[in-house]
Amino acid sequence: MKGPEFDSGPLDTPLKDGLAALHLDAGDAERAQLLSYLRTLSQWSRKHNLTAHREPMAMLVHHLLDSATAIAFVRGRYCVDVGSGAGFPGIVIACLRPALEVTLLDSVERKMSFCRHASATAGIRNVRCVHGRVEHFEPERRADTIVARAFTSLARLFELSRGFLSDNGRIVAMKGRRDDGELAAAEAAGADVEVVRVQTPGLDAERHVVLMRRRDARECAA
């Protein structure tokens, strides 16, 4: 994992500006943690191929700022990031919402090992990394928010994770282009669905957040 030092200095201002554009208040300490995390990702990716983006500014936009677009939709005190991979968006959410308890879940142990090391190195303490498959996940309590970024189809995500979603909880699925067929399949699977278009600062690409709730929980409450 040796190689040229990752220079985070030039990234602080665009990170600060990008978070401000998303109406997120991040101090010097939080930005330093995020850039530490990005530095570790850059180092590990030389050996473990954790990300397709290797140029620092591309990593900042595609990973940190893109992940940060989910934060406005996170509710409650306990969040689970399913199919977390290298920790996006869960690590970013945990850093910028330190009062939130965040569990990262992924079936690849190598990725969870990276997340444990990188979050500890950055001093992000409200993260728990779990190696396992979503369908076998049995948390001590149900999640207020479940987040997923480029994990699986909406219907499959809902079917896999609805069992550990609280009655009033929501699933926050990060997507690119809107896919009406995928939305219809999620509704057929029993989800109440809402679609919100979001803009990642510095990224000229279509982005949407799909919010899903358990329709059966709503009907029971009524």
Side-chain angles (χ1 to χ4, degrees):
M1 285 181 281
K2 297 293 185 181
E5 183 65 26
F6 181 87
D7 185 6
S8 61
L11 300 180
D12 186 60
T13 295
L15 175 59
K16 183 177 181 179
D17 292 345
L19 294 174
L22 294 171
H23 307 289
L24 294 171
D25 184 19
D28 294 345
E30 288 79 14
R31 296 197 311 278
Q33 287 179 320
L34 290 174
L35 292 176
S36 169
Y37 186 71
L38 209 63
R39 182 185 304 111
T40 306
L41 176 65
S42 176
Q43 293 168 349
W44 276 55
S45 288
R46 296 186 190 114
K47 181 178 180 180
H48 296 291
N49 194 30
L50 294 172
T51 174
H53 301 284
R54 302 297 178 87
E55 194 275 323
M57 183 58 68
M59 294 172 69
L60 174 73
V61 171
H62 284 269
H63 293 313
L64 295 190
L65 294 180
D66 196 50
S67 293
T69 62
I71 293 177
F73 306 97
V74 174
R75 300 290 184 269
R77 301 185 64 180
Y78 179 44
C79 175
V80 178
D81 178 8
V82 300
S84 185
F88 300 106
I91 289 287
V92 178
I93 292 171
C95 180
L96 297 175
R97 290 290 181 267
L100 187 70
E101 181 182 345
V102 179
T103 293
L104 310 182
L105 176 64
D106 199 277
S107 62
V108 181
E109 173 58 31
R110 167 176 52 87
K111 294 178 180 178
M112 288 295 91
S113 295
F114 163 75
C115 289
R116 292 186 194 100
H117 172 77
S119 57
T121 299
I124 303 171
R125 306 300 180 194
N126 53 323
V127 170
R128 175 173 172 252
C129 300
V130 176
H131 168 229
R133 301 186 65 85
V134 180
E135 53 265 44
H136 301 148
F137 183 51
E138 296 181 357
E140 294 180 357
R141 66 185 189 277
R142 291 185 174 186
D144 303 305
T145 303
I146 295 171
V147 296
R149 181 175 183 248
F151 174 53
T152 186
S153 70
L154 294 173
R156 180 69 171 154
L157 172 62
F158 182 73
E159 291 166 352
L160 287 173
S161 56
R162 64 184 297 175
F164 57 90
L165 181 68
S166 68
D167 288 346
N168 296 318
R170 57 165 49 167
I171 299 171
V172 179
M174 305 180 70
K175 292 287 185 177
R177 293 181 178 179
R178 178 182 176 124
D179 185 330
D180 289 336
E182 190 178 14
L183 295 171
E187 291 177 334
D192 276 336
V193 176
E194 178 184 355
V195 184
V196 182
R197 183 160 186 170
V198 296
Q199 179 63 55
T200 299
L203 185 62
D204 184 18
E206 196 171 331
R207 289 287 188 269
H208 291 86
V209 166
V210 180
L211 307 175
M212 296 189 290
R213 297 176 177 84
R214 293 169 52 200
R215 190 182 308 137
D216 59 347
R218 184 197 65 182
E219 290 170 350
C220 288

